[in-house]
């Protein structure tokens, strides 16, 4: 090897060492900067804790409101299962009253059954039960009614409308517990 090649190799090594030392210095300054950044001031710590506290407090308030709403809703519909099981009895009373009206000899029986029916139904109404009003000629609404069949409409204006109500619907509070079963015109 010649002296020129040796000198060139030494210059290259020196340049590499200078570049490495610059990189090391940059890394050290970055580490120092990170160390400085990691130490928040006391005001920042207080603000962060205050923010965390406010968020936790708001979350707890929302939880209290949600559980109280759920509790009120539960009390409103607590008797839903009982009411649903009593609805066939109401239907039987109504059927009995329509059949007794045809027989004129059983007037006293009709009055007695009507009195029992009214007392029973009034008690259910006091507990929040109400009828879903459905009349022939009303527009069919799938969210309120249950269509059990479709028949050809007797007239053009009854297409898509209720022709007959087979079984009455009932609500407990604002919630429908039994949808009215209807026949609609096609």
């Amino acid at each position: 090897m010649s002296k020129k090649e040796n000198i060139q190799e030494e210059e290259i090594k020196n340049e590499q060492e200078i570049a490495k030392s610059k990189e090391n210095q940059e890394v050290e300054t970055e580490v120092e900067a990170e160390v400085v950044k990691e130490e928040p001031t006391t005001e920042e710590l207080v603000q962060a804790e205050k923010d965390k506290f406010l968020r936790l407090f708001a979350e707890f308030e929302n939880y209290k409101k949600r559980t109280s709403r759920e509790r009120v809703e539960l009390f409103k519909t607590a008797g839903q299962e009982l009411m649903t099981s009593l609805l066939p009895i109401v239907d039987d009373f109504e059927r009995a009253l329509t059949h007794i009206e045809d027989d004129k000899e059983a007037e006293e029986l009709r009055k007695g059954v009507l009195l029992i029916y009214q007392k029973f139904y009034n008690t259910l109404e006091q507990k929040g039960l109400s009828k879903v009003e459905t009349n022939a000629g009303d527009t069919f609404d799938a969210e309120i009614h249950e269509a059990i069949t479709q028949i050809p409409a007797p007239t053009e204006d009854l297409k898509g409308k209720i022709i007959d109500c087979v079984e009455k619907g009932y609500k407990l509070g604002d919630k429908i517990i039994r949808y009215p079963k209807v026949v609609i015109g096609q």
Side-chain angles (χ1 to χ4, degrees):
M1 269 210 237
S2 67
K3 281 189 174 183
K4 278 186 178 179
E5 290 177 356
N6 285 341
I7 293 173
Q8 285 177 349
E9 285 180 18
E10 285 181 26
E11 286 178 3
I12 292 173
K13 286 181 184 177
N14 286 339
E15 287 177 9
Q16 289 175 350
E17 287 177 9
I18 291 171
K20 284 183 182 178
S21 65
K22 285 183 180 179
E23 288 177 10
N24 289 341
Q25 286 176 353
E26 289 175 1
V27 170
E28 287 176 6
T29 55
E30 287 178 10
V31 170
E32 289 174 4
E34 288 178 10
V35 170
V36 172
K37 289 180 185 176
E38 288 180 9
E39 295 179 20
T41 63
T42 56
E43 289 87 22
E44 290 173 343
L45 288 172
V46 168
Q47 189 63 32
E49 289 299 318
K50 188 185 275 187
D51 185 52
K52 192 173 11 173
F53 170 74
L54 288 175
R55 289 178 190 274
L56 187 62
F57 184 75
E59 186 177 326
F60 182 68
E61 285 296 316
N62 290 338
Y63 167 76
K64 283 182 8 184
K65 288 177 186 175
R66 184 178 66 246
T67 55
S68 66
R69 272 194 309 257
E70 289 172 355
R71 175 178 251 160
V72 167
E73 189 65 31
L74 180 67
F75 284 129
K76 282 183 182 177
T77 59
Q80 179 178 345
E81 187 177 327
L82 176 66
M83 291 292 185
T84 305
S85 64
L86 291 176
L87 290 179
I89 298 169
V90 172
D91 293 338
D92 291 341
F93 265 117
E94 290 173 351
R95 276 190 227 102
L97 286 172
T98 57
H99 288 297
I100 292 176
E101 285 179 11
D102 297 339
D103 189 8
K104 297 297 177 193
E105 295 175 8
E107 184 64 26
E108 296 299 316
L109 176 64
R110 188 185 71 76
K111 286 181 183 178
V113 171
L114 181 62
L115 183 67
I116 294 170
Y117 168 72
Q118 287 174 342
K119 194 173 198 178
F120 181 64
Y121 190 74
N122 288 336
T123 304
L124 294 178
E125 279 183 331
Q126 289 173 357
K127 300 300 179 187
L129 187 73
S130 62
K131 288 182 184 176
V132 175
E133 292 298 323
T134 305
N135 299 317
D138 289 349
T139 305
F140 175 74
D141 185 1
E143 293 187 19
I144 300 172
H145 306 106
E146 181 180 340
I148 57 171
T149 188
Q150 292 182 348
I151 61 171
T155 60
E156 227 16 73
D157 60 328
L158 287 178
K159 284 189 177 183
K161 299 201 179 204
I162 297 171
I163 296 189
D164 187 27
C165 181
V166 178
E167 188 176 72
K168 293 180 182 177
Y170 292 94
K171 294 191 306 184
L172 184 60
D174 293 333
K175 184 178 180 184
I176 297 177
I177 60 172
R178 185 172 84 180
Y179 292 89
K181 294 181 179 162
V182 296
V183 177
I184 57 174
Q186 195 174 28

